[in-house]
Amino acid sequence: MPRNQFQRMIFALLTVIITVHGYVFYSLYVVNGKLLMEMNGTNSVLSAINTQGGVYMFGRMLPIWAVVIVEFCFAYTLECLLGSPLSFKMACSMFDPRNNHPMIFETAIISCTVLIMCPAMSFIAAFLYYPYYNGFNIFTLLANWIELICHNFPFAFFSQVFFIQPFVRFLFGKLFAKDIAARKNQAEPERPQDEMEAIADIFKRMDEIQERLEHERRQRKKLAEKIQ
């Protein structure tokens, strides 16, 4: 996992690059592909897009690469300013990274990120792809927003949990392999070498948890006495 601002920005960059390309493909080919082919009388989605002169966005036809760039700019900005910091805070409010398994905590962060980013990006997309040629109506915008969330949320959750985030973590691990190895050597205690050491380590951790709980109990008792 990233440990400084530069690494967080690189991690977000890798995530957004893969996610935006995945969403553009999902939107054009999976959700709207059949409609595009029927409207333009073609046998492929790419031919349909070329026939109509590009992808409709913000009242005009744009090439696919322009659509990717526009969505990337919005997604990367939101991820850095909103998605990444808020998802970490939300995950910390539900799980303690010191006591819970790293996989549980990472899955919580991914879920919170999807919970934040999917409605936010769907709202932006509702503006970008709104049919302005029919005029503007706020209720149509809200209806389109809800429809986009319904289409995007399942894809966002399952793709992030099972494909995108594992792949991004793999790439991140390759890019910062030396830093991660140095951090592990400094932070990780020596692992148990046999069953007896493993059992002793478990009891040691149980004692540490018990001491922490006892300390928290004493703090709560002192606070209650002060209030009374």
Side-chain angles (χ1 to χ4, degrees), residues 109-128:
I109 293 178
I110 296 171
S111 301
C112 292
T113 303
V114 172
L115 185 64
I116 295 168
M117 291 296 293
C118 182
M121 282 302 298
S122 295
F123 187 69
I124 293 174
F127 276 101
L128 295 177

Side-chain angles (χ1 to χ4, degrees), residues 189-225:
E190 185 177 352
R191 293 188 177 184
Q193 300 298 316
D194 53 36
E195 184 178 358
M196 295 302 296
E197 289 187 9
I199 295 174
D201 183 66
I202 292 174
F203 279 105
K204 180 181 177 181
R205 293 176 62 188
M206 290 174 62
D207 291 339
E208 291 175 352
I209 294 174
Q210 185 63 34
E211 290 177 2
R212 185 162 59 250
L213 292 174
E214 183 65 23
H215 176 72
E216 292 176 355
R217 187 188 66 80
R218 289 195 298 267
Q219 292 296 324
R220 288 197 297 268
K221 184 177 179 180
K222 290 180 180 179
L223 180 61
E225 291 175 352

Side-chain angles (χ1 to χ4, degrees), residues 1 3 97-98 102 178-192 201 204-205 208:
M1 291 293 291
R3 68 169 183 170
R98 297 169 299 180
K178 292 183 179 180
D179 181 75
I180 293 173
R183 195 190 328 171
K184 285 184 177 180
N185 291 334
Q186 294 176 358
E188 284 189 355
E190 185 177 352
R191 293 188 177 184
D201 183 66
K204 180 181 177 181
R205 293 176 62 188
E208 291 175 352

Side-chain angles (χ1 to χ4, degrees), residues 19-154:
T19 301
V20 167
H21 283 82
Y23 270 94
V24 171
F25 174 83
Y26 173 72
S27 177
L28 295 179
Y29 282 79
V30 178
V31 178
N32 299 304
K34 185 177 180 180
L35 178 62
L36 288 172
M37 289 188 291
E38 290 178 353
M39 289 175 57
N40 295 280
T42 60
N43 294 324
S44 70
V45 177
L46 187 59
S47 297
I49 293 173
N50 292 331
T51 299
Q52 68 181 17
V55 179
Y56 178 85
M57 174 181 277
F58 213 67
R60 62 186 65 185
M61 291 296 179
L62 299 177
I64 296 179
W65 61 266
V67 172
V68 171
I69 291 176
V70 171
E71 293 208 11
F72 170 82
C73 292
F74 279 109
Y76 187 65
T77 302
L78 277 175
E79 176 67 18
C80 291
L81 298 181
L82 188 68
S84 181
L86 277 185
S87 62
F88 182 78
K89 291 181 180 179
M90 291 174 64
C92 287
S93 68
M94 295 181 286
F95 298 98
D96 188 345
R98 297 169 299 180
N99 298 329
N100 295 111
H101 193 280
M103 184 61 68
I104 296 176
F105 189 67
E106 290 179 8
T107 304
I109 293 178
I110 296 171
S111 301
C112 292
T113 303
V114 172
L115 185 64
I116 295 168
M117 291 296 293
C118 182
M121 282 302 298
S122 295
F123 187 69
I124 293 174
F127 276 101
L128 295 177
Y129 299 106
Y130 187 89
Y132 292 100
Y133 48 80
N134 291 329
F136 182 81
N137 186 293
I138 186 65
F139 295 106
T140 302
L141 176 71
L142 294 176
N144 292 344
W145 177 39
I146 295 173
E147 181 182 11
L148 286 172
I149 292 176
C150 293
H151 280 303
N152 293 336
F153 193 85

